[in-house]
Amino acid sequence: KNEVEQSPQNLTAQEGEFITINCSYSVGISALHWLQQHPGGGIVSLFMLSSGKKKHGRLIATINIQEKHSSLHITASHPRDSAVYICAVREKTSGSRLTFGEGTQLTVNP
Amino acid sequence: GAGVSQSPSNKVTEKGKDVELRCDPISGHTALYWYRQSLGQGLEFLIYFQGNSAPDKSGLPSDRFSAERTGGSVSTLTIQRTQQEDSAVYLCASSLTGRWNTEAFFGQGTRLTVV
């Protein structure tokens, strides 16, 4: 069992739909990151969370530390949101390195 | 520079040859990380540098892999006697500090293909 698990692995949506990507982890963490990877490999950090909820534009990220679960929501999805979304945790016991989920491939069709 | 810069962006090498991958972190960032993303796989940690401290090398897959960071800035990841299973995208990231609550910024990666 991976320490960080994401669901779904693949997600196809129509433009305008509300999207949710889930991340569960099994270790104690100090922070959780949501990353976006576009074709070509470039990675952008979307959010870093240690509690509660953060919002940036159409993106919302939440985390429940007790349940060891985080969600990434995209409102009013657009084809340009198509990318791989990766959940990564900074484990309390492993210093500063990140442990990554397998990623969720999102495709938003016009 | 404005972001984390990696070079080359693509590298094709013959099995058995040595390769060097370079990472220029954001100026002033004390923490630097190397990660690897193999085809169809998630990202995996390789090595972490923090200031002048001894690096965390616990993610390096074999002794053919080594990395150094000169002057607390540029880092070079070296793979000796490359094997086909070394083919992957090698990503570098830096952050202002190594503290848990600092954001990591990623480079575009180097796509290594061993033929």
Side-chain angles (χ1 to χ4, degrees), chain A residues 6-24:
Chain A
Q6 289 184 234
S7 64
Q9 285 187 310
N10 290 280
L11 179 58
T12 300
Q14 289 301 120
E15 184 173 356
E17 286 185 0
F18 180 84
I19 287 162
T20 297
I21 299 170
N22 295 299
C23 175
S24 296

Side-chain angles (χ1 to χ4, degrees), chain A residues 12-17 76-82 106-110:
Chain A
T12 300
Q14 289 301 120
E15 184 173 356
E17 286 185 0
S77 59
H78 190 275
R80 64 174 174 266
D81 297 327
S82 298
L106 170 66
T107 303
V108 181
N109 294 318

Side-chain angles (χ1 to χ4, degrees), chain A residues 56-85:
Chain A
H56 181 71
R58 294 181 294 105
L59 302 177
I60 303 166
T62 64
I63 188 169
N64 185 317
I65 296 294
Q66 287 72 33
E67 295 185 2
K68 296 186 175 179
H69 180 269
S70 175
S71 292
L72 176 69
H73 305 285
I74 305 175
T75 62
S77 59
H78 190 275
R80 64 174 174 266
D81 297 327
S82 298
V84 175
Y85 292 84

Side-chain angles (χ1 to χ4, degrees), chain B residues 76-92:
Chain B
T76 303
L77 177 69
T78 301
I79 309 172
Q80 295 178 311
R81 305 181 301 283
T82 52
Q83 303 295 312
Q84 288 186 328
E85 62 262 28
D86 299 334
S87 296
V89 175
Y90 290 82
L91 286 154
C92 176

Side-chain angles (χ1 to χ4, degrees), chain A residues 28-70:
Chain A
I29 69 168
S30 52
L32 182 143
H33 297 248
W34 281 102
L35 309 171
Q36 181 190 55
Q37 185 174 30
H38 279 281
I43 291 181
V44 174
S45 177
L46 298 175
F47 294 103
M48 183 179 65
L49 296 162
S50 56
S51 65
K53 175 180 175 178
K54 286 190 176 180
K55 184 177 189 293
H56 181 71
R58 294 181 294 105
L59 302 177
I60 303 166
T62 64
I63 188 169
N64 185 317
I65 296 294
Q66 287 72 33
E67 295 185 2
K68 296 186 175 179
H69 180 269
S70 175

Side-chain angles (χ1 to χ4, degrees), chain B residues 1-13:
Chain B
V4 178
S5 177
Q6 291 186 245
S7 61
S9 55
N10 282 283
K11 176 72 176 178
V12 180
T13 189

